[in-house]
Amino acid sequence: MTKPSCPKCDTTEATKSGVVGGRQRYKCKNCGYHFSVAKVGREINSYYVIKALQLYVEGVSYREIERLLGVSHVSVMNWVKKYGVKAPRQTDYHPTYKILNQKELAEFFQDPQQLKGAGLVVTELGDKYMMIRWERFKGV
């Protein structure tokens, strides 16, 4: 096990100094500072963070991202805040999405009529593909 380093002076010269909140507390021998080792939480794969932020920028809602990726919508909100991502303001268009396998995606692109009248983005989603289209709101 590696010795904890002091957050103030960055030395590894520390002694155990009790337990607070279920975590070991240390006292730095160099500067006398008391500290606890940071809690280690469950780490999320960066693929999901990047994919969630991409979907958010494309206009997909937090709850839809939760359903698509299986990641809490609260986590997605926290990532948006943490990385300062801004969603584009959408007035006339709204995103719709479909999950397709490779064959279905190829068939979709075979028909030129499918490609007219809307913006389109295709992104990998595990072993499938997500197609996001921006269609005009009805009545605009």
Side-chain angles (χ1 to χ4, degrees):
M1 183 175 146
T2 60
K3 285 191 164 191
S5 62
C6 176
K8 245 186 170 170
C9 66
D10 211 30
T11 65
T12 55
E13 297 297 317
T15 58
K16 290 184 177 182
S17 182
V19 176
V20 176
R23 295 191 315 199
Q24 181 65 57
R25 189 169 184 214
Y26 296 92
K27 182 178 179 183
C28 179
K29 287 182 179 179
N30 188 38
C31 67
Y33 183 70
H34 284 87
F35 63 95
S36 295
V37 177
K39 180 181 166 204
V40 179
R42 198 178 110 214
E43 180 126 359
I44 300 278
N45 187 331
S46 62
Y47 169 83
Y48 290 103
V49 176
I50 293 167
K51 198 55 72 176
L53 293 175
Q54 285 175 337
L55 294 173
Y56 176 74
V57 167
E58 300 301 337
V60 180
S61 74
Y62 292 129
R63 299 271 180 173
E64 288 176 288
I65 295 171
E66 177 180 42
R67 286 188 285 272
L68 290 167
L69 299 180
V71 176
S72 165
H73 67 277
V74 176
S75 293
V76 177
M77 285 189 282
N78 290 336
W79 297 333
V80 167
K81 281 185 207 169
K82 179 179 179 181
Y83 296 109
V85 175
K86 302 263 189 246
R89 195 165 164 231
Q90 299 173 354
T91 53
D92 294 353
Y93 291 88
H94 67 95
T96 59
Y97 63 89
K98 291 181 183 175
I99 308 296
L100 306 169
N101 63 31
Q102 187 174 4
K103 182 182 177 202
E104 293 168 332
L105 188 64
E107 288 171 1
F108 178 85
F109 282 113
Q110 295 287 323
D111 183 7
Q113 290 300 318
Q114 299 276 27
L115 305 176
K116 292 183 181 174
L120 180 69
V121 165
V122 177
T123 184
E124 173 198 10
L125 194 61
D127 62 342
K128 302 211 187 269
Y129 298 92
M130 179 187 308
M131 181 182 64
I132 304 170
R133 289 176 53 112
W134 291 273
E135 298 170 347
R136 278 193 168 279
F137 282 118
K138 303 286 189 235
V140 174

